[in-house]
Amino acid sequence: MRISKDRLEKYRNLRRIFSEEDYINIQPIQRGGVLTEEAMKAILEFGDGYSVCDLCPPKSARLDMITSPPIKDFYHDLAEFLGMDSARVVTRCREAVFIAFKMLGRAGDYVIIDSNAHYSTYLAAELAGLRIKEVPNSGYPEFKIDLEAYNEKIQEVKKEIGSSPAAIFLTHVDYLYGNLNDAKIVGRIAKDYGIPFILNCAYSAGVMPIDGKEMGADVITCSGHKSWAASAPTGIIAFNKSLEEKIVMRSKIEGDLTKRKFGVKELALLGCTVMGAPLITLMASFPEVVKRVERWDEEVSKARYLVFELEKIEGIKQLGIKPKMHTLIHLESESFYKVSLSHKRKGYFLYEELKERRIVGIQPGLTKHFKFNTYGLSWEQVKYVRDAFFNIAEKYGISHS
Ligand SMILES: *Cc1c(COP(=O)(O)O)cnc(C)c1O
């Protein structure tokens, strides 16, 4: 079918709605994915389709075997950076989680997950045919995961089906409250029971130092577009030697007529994953990522500062564990909520007031509970955000000290 010129017009000159130059974007999922200069340049160089495949080695035709650009080296460096034995780049963190679930479990098996896990963790388990058991959290206002309860949940599964869960899974830093979990505790439990431990570092790896060995992780999953200054879609699955044969099992299928076989290809990756620009952005930003994780303490102190300041506004309270150990902040705001009840723009007023002040990223319509992320903001920008909130509070007669 021909598509009319009019209908195609909207695809010309596509522009970003909120550019980094014009707005302070505090959208939680977007702070860690802002590209470096190097990555921006690399995108132009490698924008064409399968742009990294020029020199794919004919005998071991696989993305991780390409040496120019240095993808093979990159995978080794990635693994080392995460304190793991091997790594592969995949399309998204959720794909990494799915691959781990699929390759470690069999249909009907259980996987134990924390109750603050990302929705995609639940879907990954569902698609892999696994059942889940959730580890409880403390509820309002901390929502702290009871890490020792992994023990009970393992026992529960054993009692119920007579065998161990296929894996235990912990979200290192959750997307709801930005709580940082002490992964070592779960790593130790996993080791006691001899069950593989998957640690989801979507919000941690790439912004803070991660040592998988020290935490006792068998698999680490990461999100390039969330936390590694890379374009979507990019993710990382890193794993230890002991699980290599399972996670990156080779293809065994054979054509019934042709006897064709593809024994070089890694099954769960369907051969190759990210074969162009997004992978290159991940690589181009890597030197900066290696450096920036060393500045994590400074990033956390900005988050703590902003929480300390905003809690001076009447009715504002940080949810999740205090003090903040991560830059994702969840606030409860009875006072802004009260304003929304009688405002003609309802809950949208807060978003609109902030936008007028060139701050975006708080979900339109939310006032009672909202999230944002200070990662990578300068101190000047952090103070600007504080002043904007103070200013809006004053405008609506909400006091602050
Ligand atoms: C953002 C997030 C994901 C999803 O990451 P993708 O790379 O988009 O798949 C998974 N888990 C957690 C904890 C997240 O915060």
Short mmCIF file of all heavy atoms in Angstrom, two decimals, residues 152-195:
data_model
loop_
_atom_site.label_atom_id
_atom_site.label_comp_id
_atom_site.label_asym_id
_atom_site.label_seq_id
_atom_site.Cartn_x
_atom_site.Cartn_y
_atom_site.Cartn_z
N GLU A 152 13.22 -18.27 54.44
CA GLU A 152 11.89 -18.86 54.61
C GLU A 152 11.25 -19.20 53.28
O GLU A 152 10.59 -20.22 53.14
CB GLU A 152 10.96 -17.86 55.30
CG GLU A 152 11.28 -17.57 56.75
CD GLU A 152 10.80 -16.18 57.14
OE1 GLU A 152 9.63 -15.83 56.83
OE2 GLU A 152 11.62 -15.44 57.73
N LYS A 153 11.45 -18.32 52.32
CA LYS A 153 10.80 -18.54 51.02
C LYS A 153 11.38 -19.77 50.32
O LYS A 153 10.66 -20.51 49.66
CB LYS A 153 10.93 -17.29 50.14
CG LYS A 153 10.14 -16.10 50.66
CD LYS A 153 8.64 -16.37 50.56
CE LYS A 153 7.87 -15.46 51.50
NZ LYS A 153 6.42 -15.72 51.48
N ILE A 154 12.69 -19.97 50.49
CA ILE A 154 13.31 -21.17 49.92
C ILE A 154 12.71 -22.42 50.58
O ILE A 154 12.33 -23.38 49.90
CB ILE A 154 14.84 -21.14 50.09
CG1 ILE A 154 15.45 -20.01 49.23
CG2 ILE A 154 15.46 -22.49 49.71
CD1 ILE A 154 16.92 -19.71 49.53
N GLN A 155 12.58 -22.35 51.92
CA GLN A 155 11.98 -23.47 52.65
C GLN A 155 10.54 -23.73 52.19
O GLN A 155 10.14 -24.88 52.01
CB GLN A 155 11.97 -23.19 54.16
CG GLN A 155 13.34 -23.05 54.79
CD GLN A 155 14.14 -24.35 54.75
OE1 GLN A 155 13.63 -25.40 54.35
NE2 GLN A 155 15.40 -24.27 55.14
N GLU A 156 9.81 -22.65 51.99
CA GLU A 156 8.42 -22.75 51.55
C GLU A 156 8.32 -23.49 50.22
O GLU A 156 7.47 -24.35 50.04
CB GLU A 156 7.86 -21.33 51.36
CG GLU A 156 6.75 -20.95 52.32
CD GLU A 156 6.27 -19.54 52.05
OE1 GLU A 156 5.57 -19.31 51.03
OE2 GLU A 156 6.62 -18.66 52.86
N VAL A 157 9.20 -23.11 49.28
CA VAL A 157 9.19 -23.75 47.96
C VAL A 157 9.54 -25.23 48.10
O VAL A 157 8.88 -26.10 47.52
CB VAL A 157 10.18 -23.05 47.00
CG1 VAL A 157 10.38 -23.88 45.73
CG2 VAL A 157 9.68 -21.66 46.65
N LYS A 158 10.54 -25.52 48.92
CA LYS A 158 10.96 -26.92 49.10
C LYS A 158 9.82 -27.78 49.65
O LYS A 158 9.61 -28.90 49.22
CB LYS A 158 12.15 -26.99 50.05
CG LYS A 158 13.45 -26.57 49.39
CD LYS A 158 14.61 -26.84 50.35
CE LYS A 158 15.93 -26.79 49.63
NZ LYS A 158 17.06 -26.98 50.53
N LYS A 159 9.11 -27.19 50.60
CA LYS A 159 7.99 -27.91 51.21
C LYS A 159 6.88 -28.15 50.19
O LYS A 159 6.30 -29.21 50.11
CB LYS A 159 7.44 -27.05 52.35
CG LYS A 159 7.03 -27.85 53.57
CD LYS A 159 6.60 -26.90 54.63
CE LYS A 159 6.46 -27.48 56.00
NZ LYS A 159 6.19 -26.39 56.95
N GLU A 160 6.64 -27.12 49.40
CA GLU A 160 5.52 -27.17 48.46
C GLU A 160 5.77 -28.12 47.30
O GLU A 160 4.88 -28.89 46.92
CB GLU A 160 5.26 -25.74 47.95
CG GLU A 160 3.94 -25.59 47.21
CD GLU A 160 3.73 -24.16 46.71
OE1 GLU A 160 4.04 -23.20 47.47
OE2 GLU A 160 3.29 -24.01 45.56
N ILE A 161 6.95 -28.07 46.71
CA ILE A 161 7.18 -28.90 45.51
C ILE A 161 8.33 -29.90 45.65
O ILE A 161 8.65 -30.62 44.71
CB ILE A 161 7.39 -28.04 44.23
CG1 ILE A 161 8.64 -27.15 44.37
CG2 ILE A 161 6.16 -27.20 43.92
CD1 ILE A 161 9.06 -26.50 43.05
N GLY A 162 8.93 -29.92 46.83
CA GLY A 162 9.97 -30.93 47.07
C GLY A 162 11.31 -30.65 46.42
O GLY A 162 12.20 -31.50 46.46
N SER A 163 11.44 -29.48 45.79
CA SER A 163 12.76 -29.15 45.24
C SER A 163 13.02 -27.65 45.40
O SER A 163 12.11 -26.88 45.69
CB SER A 163 12.84 -29.55 43.77
OG SER A 163 11.85 -28.89 43.03
N SER A 164 14.26 -27.29 45.17
CA SER A 164 14.67 -25.90 45.37
C SER A 164 14.15 -25.00 44.25
O SER A 164 13.90 -25.48 43.15
CB SER A 164 16.19 -25.81 45.38
OG SER A 164 16.69 -26.39 46.53
N PRO A 165 14.03 -23.71 44.54
CA PRO A 165 13.73 -22.79 43.44
C PRO A 165 14.87 -22.77 42.41
O PRO A 165 16.01 -23.08 42.75
CB PRO A 165 13.60 -21.43 44.13
CG PRO A 165 14.18 -21.58 45.48
CD PRO A 165 14.13 -23.03 45.83
N ALA A 166 14.53 -22.42 41.18
CA ALA A 166 15.53 -22.41 40.11
C ALA A 166 16.55 -21.31 40.34
O ALA A 166 17.71 -21.43 39.95
CB ALA A 166 14.84 -22.20 38.76
N ALA A 167 16.11 -20.23 40.98
CA ALA A 167 17.02 -19.11 41.24
C ALA A 167 16.39 -18.21 42.28
O ALA A 167 15.18 -18.26 42.52
CB ALA A 167 17.25 -18.31 39.95
N ILE A 168 17.22 -17.42 42.93
CA ILE A 168 16.68 -16.33 43.74
C ILE A 168 17.15 -15.02 43.13
O ILE A 168 18.26 -14.92 42.61
CB ILE A 168 17.02 -16.45 45.24
CG1 ILE A 168 18.51 -16.40 45.51
CG2 ILE A 168 16.43 -17.72 45.80
CD1 ILE A 168 18.84 -16.58 46.99
N PHE A 169 16.27 -14.06 43.17
CA PHE A 169 16.45 -12.82 42.41
C PHE A 169 16.25 -11.63 43.36
O PHE A 169 15.28 -11.60 44.12
CB PHE A 169 15.39 -12.80 41.30
CG PHE A 169 15.30 -11.50 40.54
CD1 PHE A 169 15.89 -11.37 39.29
CD2 PHE A 169 14.60 -10.41 41.06
CE1 PHE A 169 15.80 -10.18 38.58
CE2 PHE A 169 14.52 -9.22 40.37
CZ PHE A 169 15.12 -9.09 39.12
N LEU A 170 17.18 -10.69 43.29
CA LEU A 170 17.03 -9.47 44.10
C LEU A 170 17.24 -8.25 43.22
O LEU A 170 18.15 -8.21 42.39
CB LEU A 170 18.07 -9.46 45.23
CG LEU A 170 18.14 -8.17 46.07
CD1 LEU A 170 16.87 -7.96 46.90
CD2 LEU A 170 19.37 -8.18 46.98
N THR A 171 16.38 -7.25 43.40
CA THR A 171 16.57 -5.97 42.75
C THR A 171 17.52 -5.16 43.62
O THR A 171 17.19 -4.86 44.77
CB THR A 171 15.21 -5.23 42.65
OG1 THR A 171 14.25 -6.13 42.09
CG2 THR A 171 15.34 -3.99 41.78
N HIS A 172 18.68 -4.83 43.08
CA HIS A 172 19.70 -4.16 43.89
C HIS A 172 19.18 -2.82 44.39
O HIS A 172 19.20 -2.53 45.58
CB HIS A 172 20.98 -4.00 43.06
CG HIS A 172 22.18 -3.65 43.87
ND1 HIS A 172 23.22 -2.92 43.37
CD2 HIS A 172 22.51 -3.93 45.16
CE1 HIS A 172 24.14 -2.77 44.32
NE2 HIS A 172 23.73 -3.37 45.41
N VAL A 173 18.72 -2.00 43.44
CA VAL A 173 18.06 -0.73 43.79
C VAL A 173 16.72 -0.73 43.06
O VAL A 173 16.67 -0.89 41.85
CB VAL A 173 18.89 0.48 43.32
CG1 VAL A 173 18.11 1.78 43.53
CG2 VAL A 173 20.23 0.53 44.07
N ASP A 174 15.64 -0.60 43.82
CA ASP A 174 14.32 -0.73 43.18
C ASP A 174 13.87 0.60 42.57
O ASP A 174 14.34 1.67 42.98
CB ASP A 174 13.30 -1.24 44.19
CG ASP A 174 12.93 -0.15 45.19
OD1 ASP A 174 12.09 0.70 44.86
OD2 ASP A 174 13.52 -0.13 46.29
N TYR A 175 12.95 0.50 41.63
CA TYR A 175 12.50 1.68 40.88
C TYR A 175 11.36 2.42 41.57
O TYR A 175 10.94 3.49 41.13
CB TYR A 175 12.08 1.27 39.46
CG TYR A 175 10.75 0.53 39.37
CD1 TYR A 175 9.72 1.00 38.56
CD2 TYR A 175 10.52 -0.64 40.09
CE1 TYR A 175 8.51 0.33 38.46
CE2 TYR A 175 9.32 -1.31 40.00
CZ TYR A 175 8.32 -0.82 39.18
OH TYR A 175 7.12 -1.49 39.09
N LEU A 176 10.84 1.84 42.66
CA LEU A 176 9.70 2.46 43.34
C LEU A 176 10.15 3.45 44.40
O LEU A 176 9.62 4.55 44.50
CB LEU A 176 8.84 1.37 43.98
CG LEU A 176 8.16 0.40 43.01
CD1 LEU A 176 7.62 -0.82 43.75
CD2 LEU A 176 7.03 1.12 42.27
N TYR A 177 11.14 3.04 45.20
CA TYR A 177 11.58 3.87 46.32
C TYR A 177 13.06 4.21 46.26
O TYR A 177 13.54 5.00 47.06
CB TYR A 177 11.25 3.18 47.65
CG TYR A 177 9.79 2.83 47.71
CD1 TYR A 177 9.34 1.54 47.44
CD2 TYR A 177 8.85 3.84 47.93
CE1 TYR A 177 7.99 1.24 47.40
CE2 TYR A 177 7.50 3.55 47.89
CZ TYR A 177 7.07 2.26 47.63
OH TYR A 177 5.75 1.98 47.60
N GLY A 178 13.78 3.59 45.32
CA GLY A 178 15.22 3.83 45.25
C GLY A 178 15.94 3.29 46.48
O GLY A 178 16.96 3.83 46.88
N ASN A 179 15.40 2.21 47.05
CA ASN A 179 16.08 1.57 48.19
C ASN A 179 17.24 0.72 47.69
O ASN A 179 17.08 -0.05 46.74
CB ASN A 179 15.12 0.65 48.95
CG ASN A 179 14.11 1.42 49.79
OD1 ASN A 179 14.28 2.62 50.04
ND2 ASN A 179 13.07 0.73 50.21
N LEU A 180 18.37 0.86 48.35
CA LEU A 180 19.53 0.02 48.03
C LEU A 180 19.54 -1.17 48.98
O LEU A 180 19.50 -0.99 50.20
CB LEU A 180 20.81 0.84 48.20
CG LEU A 180 22.14 0.08 48.11
CD1 LEU A 180 22.42 -0.39 46.69
CD2 LEU A 180 23.29 0.95 48.61
N ASN A 181 19.57 -2.37 48.42
CA ASN A 181 19.60 -3.58 49.26
C ASN A 181 21.02 -4.07 49.46
O ASN A 181 21.85 -3.97 48.55
CB ASN A 181 18.78 -4.69 48.60
CG ASN A 181 17.29 -4.42 48.68
OD1 ASN A 181 16.74 -4.33 49.78
ND2 ASN A 181 16.65 -4.23 47.54
N ASP A 182 21.27 -4.62 50.62
CA ASP A 182 22.57 -5.20 50.89
C ASP A 182 22.61 -6.60 50.27
O ASP A 182 22.22 -7.59 50.88
CB ASP A 182 22.79 -5.27 52.41
CG ASP A 182 24.18 -5.76 52.75
OD1 ASP A 182 24.92 -6.14 51.81
OD2 ASP A 182 24.52 -5.76 53.94
N ALA A 183 23.09 -6.63 49.03
CA ALA A 183 23.02 -7.86 48.24
C ALA A 183 23.83 -9.00 48.85
O ALA A 183 23.53 -10.18 48.63
CB ALA A 183 23.49 -7.59 46.81
N LYS A 184 24.84 -8.66 49.64
CA LYS A 184 25.70 -9.69 50.24
C LYS A 184 24.89 -10.68 51.07
O LYS A 184 25.20 -11.87 51.13
CB LYS A 184 26.73 -9.02 51.16
CG LYS A 184 28.08 -8.83 50.53
CD LYS A 184 29.07 -8.42 51.62
CE LYS A 184 29.92 -7.28 51.10
NZ LYS A 184 30.65 -6.59 52.16
N ILE A 185 23.87 -10.15 51.76
CA ILE A 185 23.04 -11.01 52.61
C ILE A 185 22.38 -12.10 51.78
O ILE A 185 22.39 -13.27 52.13
CB ILE A 185 21.98 -10.15 53.35
CG1 ILE A 185 22.68 -9.17 54.31
CG2 ILE A 185 20.97 -11.03 54.08
CD1 ILE A 185 21.75 -8.18 54.99
N VAL A 186 21.84 -11.69 50.65
CA VAL A 186 21.16 -12.66 49.78
C VAL A 186 22.19 -13.57 49.10
O VAL A 186 21.95 -14.76 48.90
CB VAL A 186 20.26 -11.94 48.76
CG1 VAL A 186 19.54 -12.93 47.86
CG2 VAL A 186 19.24 -11.06 49.50
N GLY A 187 23.35 -12.99 48.78
CA GLY A 187 24.42 -13.79 48.18
C GLY A 187 24.84 -14.93 49.09
O GLY A 187 25.08 -16.06 48.65
N ARG A 188 24.89 -14.62 50.38
CA ARG A 188 25.27 -15.65 51.35
C ARG A 188 24.20 -16.74 51.45
O ARG A 188 24.50 -17.93 51.48
CB ARG A 188 25.50 -14.98 52.73
CG ARG A 188 25.97 -15.94 53.79
CD ARG A 188 26.31 -15.26 55.12
NE ARG A 188 25.42 -14.17 55.53
CZ ARG A 188 24.17 -14.31 55.94
NH1 ARG A 188 23.61 -15.52 56.00
NH2 ARG A 188 23.45 -13.27 56.30
N ILE A 189 22.93 -16.33 51.46
CA ILE A 189 21.84 -17.31 51.53
C ILE A 189 21.87 -18.21 50.30
O ILE A 189 21.75 -19.43 50.39
CB ILE A 189 20.47 -16.58 51.65
CG1 ILE A 189 20.41 -15.80 52.97
CG2 ILE A 189 19.31 -17.57 51.53
CD1 ILE A 189 19.22 -14.86 53.11
N ALA A 190 22.08 -17.59 49.14
CA ALA A 190 22.14 -18.35 47.88
C ALA A 190 23.24 -19.40 47.96
O ALA A 190 23.06 -20.55 47.55
CB ALA A 190 22.38 -17.41 46.71
N LYS A 191 24.34 -19.00 48.52
CA LYS A 191 25.49 -19.91 48.61
C LYS A 191 25.18 -21.05 49.58
O LYS A 191 25.46 -22.22 49.29
CB LYS A 191 26.71 -19.13 49.08
CG LYS A 191 27.99 -19.87 48.85
CD LYS A 191 29.16 -18.92 48.70
CE LYS A 191 30.38 -19.75 48.32
NZ LYS A 191 31.56 -19.35 49.07
N ASP A 192 24.56 -20.72 50.73
CA ASP A 192 24.20 -21.74 51.71
C ASP A 192 23.35 -22.84 51.08
O ASP A 192 23.50 -24.01 51.40
CB ASP A 192 23.38 -21.12 52.86
CG ASP A 192 24.26 -20.30 53.80
OD1 ASP A 192 25.50 -20.40 53.68
OD2 ASP A 192 23.71 -19.57 54.65
N TYR A 193 22.42 -22.44 50.24
CA TYR A 193 21.49 -23.41 49.64
C TYR A 193 21.96 -23.92 48.29
O TYR A 193 21.32 -24.79 47.70
CB TYR A 193 20.10 -22.77 49.48
CG TYR A 193 19.36 -22.59 50.78
CD1 TYR A 193 19.46 -21.40 51.50
CD2 TYR A 193 18.54 -23.60 51.28
CE1 TYR A 193 18.76 -21.22 52.69
CE2 TYR A 193 17.85 -23.43 52.47
CZ TYR A 193 17.96 -22.24 53.17
OH TYR A 193 17.27 -22.07 54.33
N GLY A 194 23.01 -23.34 47.75
CA GLY A 194 23.48 -23.75 46.42
C GLY A 194 22.50 -23.41 45.31
O GLY A 194 22.28 -24.18 44.38
N ILE A 195 21.87 -22.24 45.45
CA ILE A 195 20.91 -21.80 44.43
C ILE A 195 21.48 -20.58 43.71
O ILE A 195 22.02 -19.69 44.36
CB ILE A 195 19.55 -21.42 45.10
CG1 ILE A 195 18.98 -22.63 45.83
CG2 ILE A 195 18.55 -20.88 44.08
CD1 ILE A 195 17.78 -22.29 46.72
#
